[in-house]
Amino acid sequence: MKEPKQKNTSFRHRLHEIIYEADTPSGKLFDVVLLIAILASILFVMLESVQSINDKYGEFLNVAEWVITILFSIEYILRIVSVKKPWNYVFSFYGIIDLLSTIPKYLSLILVGTHNLAALRALRLLRVFRILKLARYISESNRLLIALRNSRAKVAVFLFFVLILCIILGTVMYMIEGSENGFTSIPRSVYWAIVTLTTVGYGDIAPGTPLGQLIASVIMILGYSIIAIPTGIVSAEMTKTQVHTNTQACPNCLKEDHKDGAEFCYHCGNELNE
Amino acid sequence: MKEPKQKNTSFRHRLHEIIYEADTPSGKLFDVVLLIAILASILFVMLESVQSINDKYGEFLNVAEWVITILFSIEYILRIVSVKKPWNYVFSFYGIIDLLSTIPKYLSLILVGTHNLAALRALRLLRVFRILKLARYISESNRLLIALRNSRAKVAVFLFFVLILCIILGTVMYMIEGSENGFTSIPRSVYWAIVTLTTVGYGDIAPGTPLGQLIASVIMILGYSIIAIPTGIVSAEMTKTQVHTNTQACPNCLKEDHKDGAEFCYHCGNELNE
Amino acid sequence: MKEPKQKNTSFRHRLHEIIYEADTPSGKLFDVVLLIAILASILFVMLESVQSINDKYGEFLNVAEWVITILFSIEYILRIVSVKKPWNYVFSFYGIIDLLSTIPKYLSLILVGTHNLAALRALRLLRVFRILKLARYISESNRLLIALRNSRAKVAVFLFFVLILCIILGTVMYMIEGSENGFTSIPRSVYWAIVTLTTVGYGDIAPGTPLGQLIASVIMILGYSIIAIPTGIVSAEMTKTQVHTNTQACPNCLKEDHKDGAEFCYHCGNELNE
Amino acid sequence: MKEPKQKNTSFRHRLHEIIYEADTPSGKLFDVVLLIAILASILFVMLESVQSINDKYGEFLNVAEWVITILFSIEYILRIVSVKKPWNYVFSFYGIIDLLSTIPKYLSLILVGTHNLAALRALRLLRVFRILKLARYISESNRLLIALRNSRAKVAVFLFFVLILCIILGTVMYMIEGSENGFTSIPRSVYWAIVTLTTVGYGDIAPGTPLGQLIASVIMILGYSIIAIPTGIVSAEMTKTQVHTNTQACPNCLKEDHKDGAEFCYHCGNELNE
């Protein structure tokens, strides 16, 4: 490219506007096209895995996949070109997702001779991660994640207790029920305890002895009750963040607990300096 | 009708009172009769679908359906007659429900010669929507819906994350378990992931490999924990509407949403007179 | 009984103290004996229904039942004797429970010749209602019931919406899946919709068609989300009642929202007259 | 040991620092090694119970178990030696857990001749309780337990009601469904009622008659709704501990639990100095 550097920069600037921003009409169009491409791509991956559909429309799905893959490749290259520090993008979370979701189709060309089908299939399915790109379009998601991060420690402790409980209860059930009722090993019994405590209850393994059913009942009621704990934690956390108060103290009367965005103390009317 | 317009209007006014209001004795009677007719109609639709009952009481059910259909038809016509702008009613939500729930029985007369039974059955079942008319009689429902509308955005984001999670986890399980354990395609695996994450757990598809059971356990515990999120959102929303802030407006800057017990406006510092 | 009326009254007074109060040592003893008798009775009813146990220990269970029945009969008579207005007790909730839980054993004597076993068995099982007598001993239960009564209207509206939803979704699934997948009638499909929406998920009926599984997924996610509504209602209700504030206004500064039991205004320090 | 008592004490002091504290580098190292040993031990117990793994790696697992058991024995002895009042440790909760989790391996030596394998297996599995030692390392857990203890009474009442409900509903279903649908005895029907009410829903027992399915539907909707109660209790408890009242004591009457923002004591009317 023999254009002067000035023009090149402005071209990059233009590109950056289209790709990374959504204020201009062309930027908005780019986003809409990308959104449709992502959703179509996920749909194709899912349909391809259905035997009867793949037998019938395999050709069409293959072509469509190539169109979308080339589209994503162009997007990937443009994203690299349009930022000042390309490596920052390449090694960012979305950069890796973008690469991982594009490359499998190309690899299928190279690996077509080999019959390592399982690995190939696994690689192709990486394209499903394209769905994570959708998260870019949700601003609310950040707020939700912050609320979760605040209750992270408490929820982790809760999950740890649930795990201890399931290991102990699973071991006890393994001793009581034994392999004739499907409790063939401790890991399998722990799996059953998790299925029961979380109130999922597949029914692929179910207690057969009266004592086993008694303990299973205790586990169920336990699971039914302790679900209140994470719920209570998150509810309290969200109630707190919603009251929208901060810990800033009034310089005059030292009252705290002001509404977020408050400019005057609700108690003495003094101005709050933020 | 050759009555003078004055009389016609007053007749329409009378009708409007009976049909749309519930203050007068005749208005109340109308509502009670309609309520019973709706409930009876739903019951008949349900009983008709039970083979053994239909064989025995098919005749009676048919006659009863005709009685109710004619009753609803009269109600529909009266509703059109009694309002000033009939089209407003016809194209309103309840207007469409009323038409859809009345018309199928008449269509069954026309279509009796044709053997398009599946379509006919589907049309007949539209009558079940009559149950939505019951919502008219619940005033509390509006308040509940407002509370839900406020937390709509957050719940939508949550559901979107659940969906992304289920698509990714379903794809992973499809790779691990394969078709020999019932995970025959990605859509089916995603269906399984939803069944597991929501703690429904039919057991029609259940993981067979140890690794699959490990991941299933993770999904269950995840599902057991993240149910706290919508609960927390709605709890916080309902707690908020109950306490903390009042609707008093500042006499100076007209800002609302003051903390309970606030003596000065948090925005302009003006004293609040309670 | 030829005792003077005075003595009879004091004897009745004594009895009332023992049976209805728990302050005196004999009153406490009476309660403990009764509690054990109720629990033993429930245990016997449950064990009697287990075929293998009934074959082995049927004789013993029969004798034990007679002992407990006679004990309850004596209690019933004493309760009638010891209150001033016996009919008030007889027709009270607990009076009816006491009678219903005592009488079946006597009826088994009369009906022994007839072979109407099903009815007899049903009557015998009424004794299980003795367990409701336990509720007498729980003072906390009243407080819980008050909290529930406050959120009764909202929860009823919620349940009504769930029911409407299940009837409509059940009908839709009946049309899509049909009898070949177990959706043999609308009532059965509605039953399935309830099983799914409440996240129970027996798996005795499960959707087989892709479209059915898609709708089932929607129902599950719906059920997983709307469980937040009753939880939110009750949480908000309990948070409100726990803040322990009342609507009483301070006679001096008219501040409301005082703590329950507060004797002085938290704002101006004026005495509150209760 | 013929060392002077002074030195012995300081050696014990040193040991105490390493074993019971985590401030010094050696104390930290001790904790990390112990944590790894506990986790490895649990893993070995679980793997040993898997038939195929035990056949292959039984030798290795046996040796590894001996290494860990000897390590725990040393730890146990050191813990006794390093505290001033050894019996206090021996009879403490963790003292008993430590002993119970170490002794089974030694007993397997003694009992190897006898063929009482079931009892031996049960004893070996006691080692799983080593996982409880992990709770030592979680400081957050105490806070969670306090919050639970506060709502203990209410949750107990709730669980009691759930149990009464399940016994009555189970008995009713036993009468309606009978043994041909799997409801072979009252205890089994109560087990089913618990499975249904807690929304676990194995599907090993499922109602077959229409009336049974109707009652099952009621139980499910009941279970779906009343889960709001423990959740509401815990949410309210956690919200309470976060806001609303503070721990400031009135300088006059020493009453605590004042409303946030209160300026006068609600009990004696004295001014609160903040």
Side-chain angles (χ1 to χ4, degrees), chain C:
Chain C
M1 298 187 199
K2 291 179 180 174
E3 289 122 81
K5 208 184 167 186
Q6 173 62 32
K7 206 180 166 190
N8 188 10
T9 311
S10 88
F11 169 73
R12 203 162 67 187
H13 187 74
R14 193 65 233 285
L15 254 181
H16 191 276
E17 230 176 60
I18 293 171
I19 295 173
Y20 287 95
E21 287 156 46
D23 299 335
T24 55
S26 49
K28 214 166 263 174
L29 183 72
F30 178 85
D31 280 359
V32 169
V33 169
L34 200 64
L35 259 170
I36 293 167
I38 293 168
L39 290 174
S41 162
I42 300 300
L43 196 72
F44 293 154
V45 174
M46 292 177 78
L47 290 179
E48 212 180 336
S49 76
V50 184
Q51 199 59 48
S52 61
I53 290 175
N54 197 30
D55 289 351
K56 247 184 178 166
Y57 306 105
E59 282 299 296
F60 168 73
L61 288 172
N62 190 33
V63 172
E65 256 305 326
W66 271 114
V67 170
I68 285 170
T69 300
I70 289 165
L71 217 130
F72 280 131
S73 308
I74 294 170
E75 183 219 353
Y76 186 66
I77 292 164
L78 288 181
R79 276 188 192 273
I80 290 178
V81 168
S82 67
V83 286
K84 278 189 187 154
K85 297 182 181 172
W87 293 114
N88 279 9
Y89 165 68
V90 171
F91 291 112
S92 73
F93 179 68
Y94 284 124
I96 291 163
I97 291 293
D98 286 355
L99 186 65
L100 281 180
S101 62
T102 311
I103 221 162
K105 198 69 187 173
Y106 294 110
L107 284 177
S108 73
L109 277 184
I110 302 162
L111 298 171
V112 84
T114 73
H115 292 283
N116 199 344
L117 280 169
L120 184 62
R121 201 181 58 180
L123 278 172
R124 279 213 312 251
L125 292 175
L126 284 175
R127 287 171 295 171
V128 96
F129 284 102
R130 279 177 198 151
I131 207 170
L132 286 177
K133 298 166 100 178
L134 285 176
R136 268 185 197 135
Y137 297 97
I138 303 158
S139 59
E140 284 264 0
S141 63
N142 287 323
R143 222 180 299 170
L144 206 72
L145 287 174
I146 288 166
L148 281 182
R149 202 171 306 154
N150 288 343
S151 44
R152 195 180 37 182
K154 276 181 195 157
V155 169
V157 171
F158 168 72
L159 288 183
F160 175 74
F161 270 108
V162 165
L163 209 67
I164 287 186
L165 213 64
C166 286
I167 288 176
I168 290 175
L169 291 170
T171 308
V172 169
M173 285 301 277
Y174 169 67
M175 291 196 289
I176 291 168
E177 291 277 326
S179 40
E180 59 270 26
N181 287 311
F183 293 77
T184 50
S185 69
I186 295 184
R188 203 172 150 80
S189 302
V190 171
Y191 162 71
W192 172 85
I194 293 173
V195 168
T196 301
L197 194 86
T198 57
T199 76
V200 171
Y202 282 132
D204 52 347
I205 318 168
T209 64
L211 183 58
Q213 292 183 341
L214 184 69
I215 291 173
S217 301
V218 172
I219 299 177
M220 284 170 220
I221 289 180
L222 212 67
Y224 188 66
S225 305
I226 64 177
I227 200 173
I229 299 173
T231 307
I233 294 168
V234 175
S235 290
E237 196 61 47
M238 293 210 167
T239 307
K240 195 177 67 174
T241 57
Q242 218 166 24
V243 181
H244 292 310
T245 55
N246 50 44
T247 56
Q248 187 196 10
C250 170
N252 184 40
C253 70
L254 297 177
K255 275 264 179 187
E256 293 185 9
D257 218 31
H258 296 286
K259 274 189 59 149
D260 281 349
E263 289 151 46
F264 292 92
C265 175
Y266 66 86
H267 179 66
C268 68
N270 197 59
E271 193 161 3
L272 301 169
N273 47 347
E274 287 187 283

Side-chain angles (χ1 to χ4, degrees), chain A residues 200-218:
Chain A
V200 171
Y202 283 132
D204 53 347
I205 319 169
T209 64
L211 185 58
Q213 293 183 341
L214 184 70
I215 292 173
S217 301
V218 172

Side-chain angles (χ1 to χ4, degrees), chain A residues 10-25:
Chain A
S10 88
F11 168 72
R12 204 164 67 187
H13 187 73
R14 193 67 231 287
L15 254 181
H16 190 276
E17 230 175 61
I18 294 171
I19 295 174
Y20 288 94
E21 287 156 46
D23 299 334
T24 57

